Amino acid sequence: SLFSFSCFFFYFFFLMIRRPPRSTLFPYTTLFRSPLFNIALAMAHLADTSHLHYPRQTAIQIILRAIVEYPDLLAGDSAFETRVIKMTKGTVICKGGTGGIYTGILPSLGFGIALKIDDGNAKASEIAFLAILRSLGAIDDDRSEERRVGKECRSRWSPYH
């Protein structure tokens, strides 16, 4: 009947707009619940393709080689991601998203990284991402390039910039 259909539709609509718990990746929608752990796990699967079938392995390796060869096309020539890929000579591939989310892979270690700063501050995410890379040993001891990249991240915080 029309009444039962409208009740079902209203109930379904109510479920779609309710606020999800804070532990979800996208805080304003229930359609895409994805904790950071699952994102890091997905990134680790991209970093280590040995468990995948041959066609998928090949496709992922081609994409990763293209990103390393042309990092400017990933996010622009002055973007944080591009600077990190160039600084690490392709041993780290990362990509930022909305709300201060950064993901990355270290193919040599088979690691995936997912980082989110609660208030969504992208600059803080960049600095935290550099700290994670340093703790994993992905950044050389010669930190002149790291300091330059970090300084550029911090300089965007300046109210006079």
Side-chain angles (χ1 to χ4, degrees), residues 11-83:
Y11 179 69
F12 181 74
F13 183 74
F14 177 74
L15 288 177
M16 298 302 284
I17 62 170
R18 69 185 175 86
R19 190 179 188 288
R22 284 184 55 86
S23 64
T24 60
L25 172 64
F26 304 100
Y28 301 109
T29 178
T30 59
L31 295 176
F32 305 103
R33 292 186 180 186
S34 189
L36 286 176
F37 174 80
N38 291 346
I39 295 172
L41 188 61
M43 293 293 108
H45 286 301
L46 285 176
D48 178 22
T49 59
S50 63
H51 63 284
L52 298 174
H53 296 294
Y54 177 74
R56 196 164 283 176
Q57 274 183 355
T58 306
I60 290 172
Q61 290 168 357
I62 289 171
I63 291 169
L64 294 180
R65 273 196 307 266
I67 291 171
V68 170
E69 196 168 332
Y70 304 103
D72 304 0
L73 299 178
L74 185 65
D77 56 348
S78 64
F80 173 78
E81 297 92 330
T82 304
R83 294 191 315 263

Side-chain angles (χ1 to χ4, degrees), residues 100 102 115 117 119-130 153 157:
Y102 268 88
L115 169 74
I117 301 296
D119 68 355
N121 190 322
K123 284 83 174 169
S125 295
E126 293 171 356
I127 292 170
F129 197 84
L130 286 175
C153 295
W157 282 353

Side-chain angles (χ1 to χ4, degrees), residues 90-135:
T91 59
V92 175
I93 298 173
C94 64
K95 182 68 175 119
T98 60
I101 296 173
Y102 268 88
T103 59
I105 62 172
L106 286 80
S108 62
L109 299 175
F111 279 3
I113 302 169
L115 169 74
K116 176 169 179 11
I117 301 296
D118 251 355
D119 68 355
N121 190 322
K123 284 83 174 169
S125 295
E126 293 171 356
I127 292 170
F129 197 84
L130 286 175
I132 291 170
L133 294 180
R134 187 180 318 116
S135 70

